[in-house]
Amino acid sequence: MNYRYILQRLFLAVVVILGVTFVVFMIVQIVPGDPARVVLGPYASDESVAGLRERLGLNRPFFEQYFTWLGGIVQGDFGQSLLNGQDVATQLLGRVGPSLELAFVSLFIGLAIAFPIGIISAIRPGSAIDIVATLFSQIGVSVPTFWMGILLMIFFSLTLGVLPPGGYTPFSEDPGDWLAHIILPAFTAGFVSASIQTRFIRSAMLDILNANFIQTARAKGLSERAVIIRHAMRNAMINIVTIIGLQITALFSGLVIVEVVFSWPGLGRLALNAVLERDYPMLQGAVFVVALVVTIVNLLIDLLYFVLDPRIEYA
Amino acid sequence: MKKVALFAPLLLVIALVTGMGFSVSAQTSGGVLHAAHDAEWTGLDPHVASTVSSFYVLANVVESLTTMDDNIEIAPLLATEWEQSEDGNTWTFHLREGVLFSNGEELTADTVVFSMNRILNPDTGSGRVSSVGGPDAVWEAVDTYTVTVTTPEPNAILPILLTNRGTSIVHPDSVDENGVIVVPIGTGPFTVEDLDGTISMTLAKNENYWQEGLPYLDAVEVTVIQEDAAREAALLGGEVDFITSIAPQAVEALQENPDVEVQVAPALAYKYLGLNLTREPLDNKLVRQAIAYAINREEICAAGDFGLCTPLYGGPIDTSSPWYFDYAPYEQDLDKARELLAEAGYPDGFEMELMPTSTYQDSVRQAQVLQAQLAQVGITTTINAPEWAEWLELEGSFQFDGYLCSWNGLTDVENYYYLQHRTDEVFNFTGYSNPEFDALVDEGRTMSDFDERYAIYEQANQILVDDAPYVYFYNPAFVRAMSPNVEGYVLRSDNANLYMNTWLGEGE
């Protein structure tokens, strides 16, 4: 592993994050809709809209606005929300934690479902388990997240009354309550990602099981279990890690819906409301943080390849 | 469809019964109410915020000089009395003495003038300028407890306009170095504590509140649950005691549930179609009348609000208001609509676009029904449903044929007839202009006697209904749901969300 490669990757990460923020800033400015009008509502005079635009700095040129924002970021100042004047950085800090918790618990639930089922399906293609798993994947991929979330909520919190219908309790305050609140949203997001993961794990395992070196291992007289765990799994992991990386990114974008349905105080819900209200600084901040998280995840995945596959070399 | 007509009187009965408060348990102090609001507040600066969700909070924190009582009649609040000068250009307000802000400092004429000047300052970007006397109004402190406001023209209804909580008095320390109010310091019964962005807050009892013995509650824990199903589940599961709205289609089921108390009140609000009078053929009065005759309001109500409303066949104001005018010509009449179209020179109809907003799905459902109804008389419509931010931009700049929206807070006839329809007035988005109408509403502004005003506005209403720049659909209903131990909460027809008189009892 060489440091030049890592530096290269880090530099690229910074470029990517900056690129994303610039593109989002541009898009949100191009999209019709004026934050001042959103604040003042449908019955605002042109005078009051003009006054508010001036106060919020919306009349300044595009590049000036962008670089002012960038200059603030470097100093850790994310600006104030256009809608409520609250400090964006403080808001983001409060939202990152819950979103990360939800993303990782969802991922964990997804993998806990997908791994055993995907591997068993691969070992016994065409068996009853394989068919049922395929059916469930199909359902998971096709059912809209919000609908599934609402169904689960109705069943577990209204019919059975065992889980709260939404909301959030910090882990530090009451771990049991935190768990009760996270199960439904995490399962909703996790089930969808499990459906996709199962297919990938199955096909990755199938490819490997039919590969030459596995046949060799079998010919050497190793037990089937040893073949699968020692040889097949380890090689399949490379593909699977790639998928997990993509899934984390996908999960982050999928969280918007889950967070709104389950009143989860995360970044997705914040970003969605910021878009709808054209709250530029809030949206920019949220995008910046998500881009940061996704880039870091991808970086870690790339580094994991080294560990998993000694053959990989980077010039 | 019969059900709708039956429903209207029923609504009134429910409203009257809940309004009278049939509970018999004694008022008790203390306790914490857990409330779930249906939308995130969009800022807590009372002079700038415009959303219902913001005022659900603010109405408990800040107070205005005058207010509307539960019967929607003007009543003193921070001002105890007020009088108009001989020439009509100056109002004098006498302030209540001994009122403290939540930070312990006293309300004085200076703090009132500070707030009014902040609203009038163009840099604030406040939408309330017309409510405090217009851009040329001058507010002055006469002595510690007396303020005057002078306007270039007589403004007879200024005290009524000042009932709007968007004109509330805040302590100067509320404003930060950017000129923004993140959390206002007010004189209301509660203060904002533990504000977590736009997700949750605690409304804590203001220990300095001037009304003896109020509020009863120690605090209201406010959370936001945007999803209808989740909000209902939270109430049914006991996570919260009170929710600010339920989906209209769920009202019936919740009314039958013994563990929930549902309050329904006819709203001082209406849903409508606004037509663009700067475009052909909508500049033709006959065409607009044809649209008004072509539509079936019961069906629109069934689609938009699941029958929880009162159809409007004339002006915007329903029978439950003192400002109701008995002029309702627009029962559905397809033949009449076709005749009018032919007379206007469009025997084969014409094409137009309907603009609801995807942010409010009820308006989209209304547009879909409207499309089918207008097709019956040959008017072909397309539906364009942009999201709210874009919709506002199009609506504010005459870039539409017909927009669908609702207007809330119709507490005084002025709020509506003058501001939305006088030529070139700020909220006149249809381009409507009729000198005869203008003369009447100008005159109406200079009077304060109810009967005189009523006579004037009755004529104005008739002109307006005949000109049909707006086609009114119906008054919706407001709904609240709570657990049976929540006592003293009054659902008002102006949708003011006040926790001051609420307490927690034993339940039924």
Side-chain angles (χ1 to χ4, degrees), chain B residues 432-508:
Chain B
Y432 177 63
S433 174
N434 181 331
E436 204 186 339
F437 176 90
D438 289 355
L440 285 166
V441 292
D442 285 350
E443 195 180 352
R445 293 201 108 189
T446 63
M447 309 176 164
S448 41
D449 177 70
F450 179 86
D451 294 337
E452 285 178 23
R453 287 181 78 205
Y454 188 90
I456 290 280
Y457 283 107
E458 186 162 32
Q459 296 172 54
N461 177 68
Q462 186 153 350
I463 294 171
L464 186 64
V465 171
D466 288 343
D467 284 345
Y470 283 2
V471 177
Y472 306 103
F473 298 152
Y474 54 80
N475 293 122
F478 294 128
V479 183
R480 302 275 192 277
M482 58 207 78
S483 66
N485 68 330
V486 177
E487 308 276 6
Y489 183 89
V490 177
L491 171 54
R492 295 162 41 129
S493 49
D494 65 351
N495 206 14
N497 184 52
L498 305 171
Y499 294 120
M500 185 165 70
N501 299 305
T502 304
W503 77 95
L504 296 169
E506 298 303 306
E508 303 300 314

Side-chain angles (χ1 to χ4, degrees), chain A residues 39 42-43 48 55 269 278, chain B residues 40 50 123 126 387 427 429:
Chain A
V39 172
Y43 305 112
S48 36
R55 181 162 67 99
R269 180 174 155 193
R278 305 290 190 269
Chain B
E40 298 186 359
S50 66
D123 294 344
S126 170
E387 43 134 355
F427 304 146
F429 297 116

Side-chain angles (χ1 to χ4, degrees), chain B residues 93 260 265 307 328 385 402 409:
Chain B
F93 290 90
V260 177

Side-chain angles (χ1 to χ4, degrees), chain A residues 32-34 37 39-43 45 48 51 55 83-86 91 95 150 153 164 263 265 269 273 276-278, chain B residues 40 42-43 48 50 122-126 180 182 195 197-199 225 230 239 272 387 389 392-393 406-407 426-427 429:
Chain A
D34 176 354
R37 272 202 187 280
V39 172
L40 295 169
Y43 305 112
S45 67
S48 36
R55 181 162 67 99
L83 258 91
N84 51 42
Q86 296 180 13
Q91 288 299 303
R95 304 278 191 122
I150 290 173
M153 185 196 303
S263 316
R269 180 174 155 193
N273 282 311
L276 292 177
E277 288 155 354
R278 305 290 190 269
Chain B
E40 298 186 359
T42 56
V48 177
S50 66
D123 294 344
T124 306
S126 170
V180 177
V182 177
L195 177 66
T198 50
I199 296 177
I225 305 180
E239 296 250 320
Y272 65 89
E387 43 134 355
L392 285 170
E393 199 132 293
S406 70
W407 172 282
V426 287
F427 304 146
F429 297 116

Side-chain angles (χ1 to χ4, degrees), chain B residues 3-16:
Chain B
K3 211 171 133 194
V4 178
L6 285 173
F7 213 83
L10 182 72
L11 278 182
L12 264 179
V13 172
I14 295 169
L16 286 172

Side-chain angles (χ1 to χ4, degrees), chain A residues 203-256:
Chain A
S203 56
M205 278 301 283
L206 271 176
D207 287 351
I208 303 280
L209 284 173
N210 296 330
N212 290 337
F213 69 90
I214 295 287
Q215 307 300 343
T216 314
R218 284 196 178 121
K220 282 197 306 196
L222 284 173
S223 73
E224 188 63 13
R225 200 179 147 161
V227 168
I228 286 170
I229 291 177
R230 209 176 309 158
H231 293 270
M233 280 281 288
R234 179 154 179 186
N235 282 289
M237 274 315 273
I238 295 169
N239 294 340
I240 290 166
V241 162
T242 310
I243 300 306
I244 291 174
L246 289 173
Q247 278 296 295
I248 291 175
T249 314
L251 259 177
F252 245 82
S253 51
L255 283 186
V256 172

